[in-house]
Amino acid sequence: MTVRNLKIKHKLLIFVILGAFMTSFLGWLFVQLTQSLYDQLIYREATGKLHLFSQRIEERLLNIDKLSLSIMSDADVQKYLRTIKTSPETYESYSSSNELIKKLMSYHLSDYAIASITVLDTHNGSHGVGLNVNGLSASDMLNMRDKAAKYQGAGIWVGGTEPGDSFYSLRQIREIAETSMEPLGTLVIRTFADKIIKSSTDASDNYASTLLIESEGSVIYPPKNAIRVQDLHIHDEPNYSLITLHQAKYLAAHFNLNYTGWTFIYLVPYGTIFKDTMIMKVVLLALYAVVLVFILIIGLQFSRSITLPIEKLTKKMAIVEKGNFELDKLEFPENRDEIGQLSRNFDKMIDRLDTLIKENYLKQLMLKDAEYHMLKAKLNPHFLYNTLDSINWLARMNGQLQISGMVKALGNLLRSTVNDKEFITIKEEVANLYNYIYIQKFRFEERLIYRVDIPKHLQDLYIPCIILQPIVENCIKYAVEPAAEFCEIAIRAEERPDRLVIVVEDTGPGMDTDYLKKLEINEISAEGTGIGLKSIHERLKILFGESYGIAIENGTASGTVIKISVPYMSTPA
């Protein structure tokens, strides 16, 4: 069953449901797009804050690096290290070592994040102040000295050595007094990694993030970390991505800092930053679900308010169709809308019909009875024909042959009118027409010239009865009667591919060729009370279609040409 054949209430119901679901789908799509845009905004905001946090950590490291530069360029430190280098294992060397420690003690107090400051001289002697000064092994110290030597006095930061909760600022101390730039030792500043990171800013705490610091392919912070950088699958662009780690979803933001060369990786649990958006999404979807249910309920009520009055009106029509015009108005309450107005008009129409039927029923019975008696009072056409036949024989017996011929022609003509046939042959129609012309010839004598030229093979075709006689009668009335001399009426047939055309032509004064059109638009009115051209024209159109009928034309010299178009019919329809 197609939608077109469904009831109106079902169509409205489908429309409401589709509208509600389309609205809900668009709402859900809006929520998804909004969340996606909001997620991207949160990604960028969180990444920006974490990047700022990383820069502040690097600023702390840069400040400590400036401290190492101050220590390296300090004249006393340069003097003490030069003495230790040139006079090893002497009293001057021992005294310089003590003075160097005192000097370092003053620098150590400048920053609480500094755990210790250690200077390795050229003889691998260690001179340090602070906590756990000797915490590094000899091999670690030598490795740090070699790394610092590669940078030739520039600062470098390293991590990942024991103890693992520390970062180390390394710088080779070179002699600057005589610009010889000879190595005098190596400066190692150990810092508390947690103090450096946590004292920079608390921005990362807003996201409950975990910081990983990677250097040369390994994690140097936090200590004893089980996460490998390779497991994170992060890319250079963009600097954030969503990853799954240990069956948990994280936002991974990563930054490569130029100064230290380290990579800062922040792992932010997805739920902490998108908890509010998830709640908002659930609330919006629940709201759309409520709106959907509300729209469906209102839509059903709206659909029912339209279809119920129509169903009631249909029920009333079904009752009236069975002939019951007495409706219980209380059974069909009406609305005040257009359908209610239609129902009220229907009720008025039914009441009027009921009244008319009741008022006119008896009158119609009486009128029918009167018509019946009037018909009985009319003369029987067969009685008239039999009477004319008796007159005919009486005229013959008295030798009145002209009267006999006229009476016989009139009787034949009367018999043709009594015939019930709708279609007769052209031959029969011409014979009836001859009886009419025979009578008219007694009236007009030589003034009426009549000629029929229809081939024999066409005379057996069928045409509607009594279509030629009324046309010839018009020709006599408007062409023969006014004429002072003779007038000719000719009848012929034209064979066309799709129709037969019978032409009736007279030599009278002619007539308006637009006569039929003017009759149709009531511009003029037909004269007389007989069968006119308009009646024949409409009869032919009803029988055969709009393309058939009568056409009026002017003759070549004078007079009127009337063409009758009918289809070829070898048998009566």
Side-chain angles (χ1 to χ4, degrees), residues 380-394:
N380 193 322
H382 293 284
F383 169 75
L384 289 176
Y385 174 76
N386 293 332
T387 303
L388 290 174
D389 190 50
S390 299
I391 295 173
N392 172 38
W393 285 107
L394 182 60

Side-chain angles (χ1 to χ4, degrees), residues 477-526:
K477 181 177 180 180
Y478 296 105
V480 179
E481 284 184 3
E485 52 189 20
F486 67 88
C487 181
E488 182 179 355
I489 299 175
I491 300 175
R492 69 178 190 275
E494 296 180 358
E495 296 183 73
R496 305 280 177 86
D498 59 338
R499 65 189 60 201
L500 174 66
V501 178
I502 300 174
V503 181
V504 179
E505 184 175 2
D506 64 59
T507 58
M511 67 180 297
D512 188 0
T513 57
D514 293 328
Y515 175 74
L516 291 176
K517 293 182 180 178
K518 292 179 179 179
L519 282 177
E520 290 178 353
I521 62 176
N522 296 320
E523 185 175 334
I524 60 175
S525 58

Side-chain angles (χ1 to χ4, degrees), residues 77-97:
V77 173
Q78 291 268 326
K79 181 180 68 173
Y80 299 147
L81 288 176
R82 191 182 313 111
T83 301
I84 293 172
K85 177 180 180 180
T86 56
S87 304
E89 298 181 357
T90 61
Y91 176 77
E92 289 80 3
S93 174
Y94 176 77
S95 176
S96 295
S97 175

Side-chain angles (χ1 to χ4, degrees), residues 143-175:
N143 287 334
M144 291 183 179
R145 184 191 65 182
D146 295 339
K147 286 183 180 180
K150 292 179 182 179
Y151 287 85
Q152 299 178 355
I156 177 178
W157 282 91
V158 298
T161 58
E162 293 295 336
D165 59 347
S166 302
F167 296 147
Y168 297 88
S169 173
L170 309 179
R171 189 183 293 272
Q172 188 180 48
I173 302 175
R174 289 175 171 251
E175 185 174 2

Side-chain angles (χ1 to χ4, degrees), residues 426 429-430 433 450-459 463 467-468 471-472 475 488-496 499-507 551 553-566:
I426 296 178
E429 181 73 6
V430 171
L433 183 59
Y450 169 69
R451 178 167 50 86
V452 176
D453 184 16
I454 297 179
K456 289 185 177 180
H457 69 278
L458 297 177
Q459 292 185 9
I463 60 173
I467 61 170
L468 293 179
I471 296 176
V472 172
C475 293
E488 182 179 355
I489 299 175
I491 300 175
R492 69 178 190 275
E494 296 180 358
E495 296 183 73
R496 305 280 177 86
R499 65 189 60 201
L500 174 66
V501 178
I502 300 174
V503 181
V504 179
E505 184 175 2
D506 64 59
T507 58
E553 299 177 2
N554 290 323
T556 54
S558 62
T560 303
V561 177
I562 297 177
K563 294 185 177 181
I564 307 167
S565 300
V566 294

